[in-house]
Amino acid sequence: MAVAAADTALRLDCRVAWAETLERLAEADERIVVVVNDSVGSSNLGGFKQKFPDRTINVGIAEQNMVGVAAGLANGGRVPFVSAASCFLTARAMEQLKADVAYAGFNVKLVGQSSGIAYGELGATHHSIEDFAWLRALGPITLIAPCDAWETTEAIKWAAGHEGPVYLRLSRMKVPTLDLPGRSFTPGKAELQRPGTDVTLIANGTTVHLALAAAELLAGAGVSARVLNMHTITPLDTDAVIAAARETGAIVTVEEALDRGGLGGAVAECTSASHPVPVQRVGFPGFMPTGSIESLFKEFGLSPAGIASAARIAMRRKGN
């Protein structure tokens, strides 16, 4: 994934941070168990299984059972982390996510692996671009998309201690760790990555790095772009969104997901109700052709240049 041509920072796989963090938490809390769908390897849980074989429940390729079993474990006082590829976890088990987790309010932690288009050439069946929209519609599930290894660690730690359902959206694409002094992770509170006055770029997950690179391009053209890491979609930091609308007058949302229903939809709903401004949504329009991750990102505007172009359109619209 090309974040910026000049970017030489060390890139890390967030799945490593997730697994290492979970192992440490499980050592201190015997209630923690994992439930997987024959995905120990792809979830990077080999070490967990070796340390805690009796707390690793592999139901096989049976996603509906996987979520149902996790709900039962939560009802019995355990803290289950369900780990599976996002495309299968959210699509195949939607009824169980709705009834057994969201409606029941059980303390289940859902970890969607290899999210977005991280599977690349495997195509639309393995892309998970609808999960934001689907799960956001369920309401009570806290929806988090960490942008780097540090944020993944903090999100896992928070989820383990939080009472209630959580969905963590992880990618398999390696990303740099953002260098922001005094960072803290608070669900429902956006992280200001860069101040700006002309336009606001709101992103999460892998796309935060693209938004920062786009802000650099815009700065070279004299445009001051604010960058917000909106790691939590549910609940949304409406204060940060409204402040961005009032103070910059134009917003661009960027997500490795559908361009409707997820982050872009949440931001558009917020601004339309409280402070209407132009909102350009950068994401995927729907089923995509088979191609490399890099080619699909570029083709659909998820690149620094594409995001900068969307920012210029948003700024032109606010002048109308």
Side-chain angles (χ1 to χ4, degrees):
M1 174 181 173
V3 175
D7 179 22
T8 57
L10 175 66
R11 300 186 184 192
L12 302 173
D13 186 337
C14 293
R15 295 176 303 166
V16 174
W18 126 259
E20 292 177 348
T21 303
L22 190 67
E23 287 180 28
R24 290 195 298 270
L25 292 170
E27 288 171 353
D29 188 348
E30 64 180 12
R31 297 175 304 155
I32 292 176
V33 298
V34 297
V35 188
V36 296
N37 61 335
D38 200 27
S39 57
V40 171
S42 60
S43 293
N44 203 41
L45 289 171
F48 187 98
K49 181 180 179 181
Q50 185 174 12
K51 289 182 179 179
F52 310 106
D54 58 339
R55 290 155 65 183
T56 304
I57 302 169
N58 189 345
V59 303
I61 304 175
E63 287 77 13
Q64 295 172 331
N65 289 342
M66 175 179 65
V67 174
V69 166
L73 288 165
N75 193 36
R78 295 283 187 164
V79 181
F81 279 78
V82 177
S83 182
S86 291
C87 57
F88 304 131
L89 170 59
T90 58
R92 293 179 179 170
M94 179 52 67
E95 181 181 1
Q96 285 68 33
L97 294 175
K98 174 185 175 181
D100 297 349
V101 177
Y103 176 69
F106 282 143
N107 190 33
V108 177
K109 318 305 173 182
L110 307 158
V111 184
Q113 305 283 354
S114 303
S115 304
I117 63 166
Y119 277 122
E121 288 89 344
L122 291 180
T125 59
H126 283 60
H127 294 161
S128 182
I129 61 174
E130 306 89 356
D131 55 343
F132 279 167
W134 288 342
L135 296 179
R136 186 172 160 256
L138 295 181
I141 300 177
T142 301
L143 175 52
I144 302 172
C147 70
D148 61 14
W150 177 88
E151 197 164 73
T152 299
T153 295
E154 295 304 304
I156 296 295
K157 287 159 55 177
W158 176 85
H162 171 71
E163 183 67 29
V166 178
Y167 176 70
L168 294 151
R169 189 190 206 247
L170 306 184
S171 177
R172 67 191 299 136
M173 290 186 276
K174 293 182 179 181
V175 291
T177 297
L178 298 176
D179 183 14
L180 190 68
R183 283 184 88 180
S184 62
F185 175 78
T186 304
K189 184 172 178 56
E191 180 182 62
L192 177 64
Q193 283 287 331
R194 182 183 179 118
T197 56
D198 296 326
V199 64
T200 299
L201 311 180
I202 302 179
N204 59 23
T206 58
T207 65
V208 173
H209 310 277
L210 299 172
L212 286 167
E216 286 290 339
L217 289 180
L218 290 166
V223 176
S224 174
R226 179 179 305 183
V227 179
L228 293 178
N229 169 20
M230 194 66 71
H231 46 67
T232 312
I233 297 182
T234 303
L236 185 75
D237 187 347
T238 55
D239 290 341
V241 173
I242 295 170
R246 287 175 175 164
E247 295 165 10
T248 69
I251 293 175
V252 177
T253 61
V254 192
E255 55 194 314
E256 191 188 342
L258 282 175
D259 57 9
R260 55 198 182 279
L263 175 62
V267 169
E269 290 169 19
C270 177
T271 57
S272 66
S274 302
H275 193 87
V277 296
V279 177
Q280 290 293 119
R281 289 178 282 180
V282 178
F284 299 117
F287 298 132
M288 292 172 293
T290 298
S292 68
I293 296 169
E294 291 78 9
S295 66
L296 292 173
F297 267 65
K298 182 177 180 180
E299 180 175 349
F300 292 97
L302 277 86
S303 66
I307 297 166
S309 177
R312 295 186 186 96
I313 294 172
M315 288 188 294
R316 287 198 297 270
R317 289 177 56 204
K318 74 176 178 179
N320 294 337

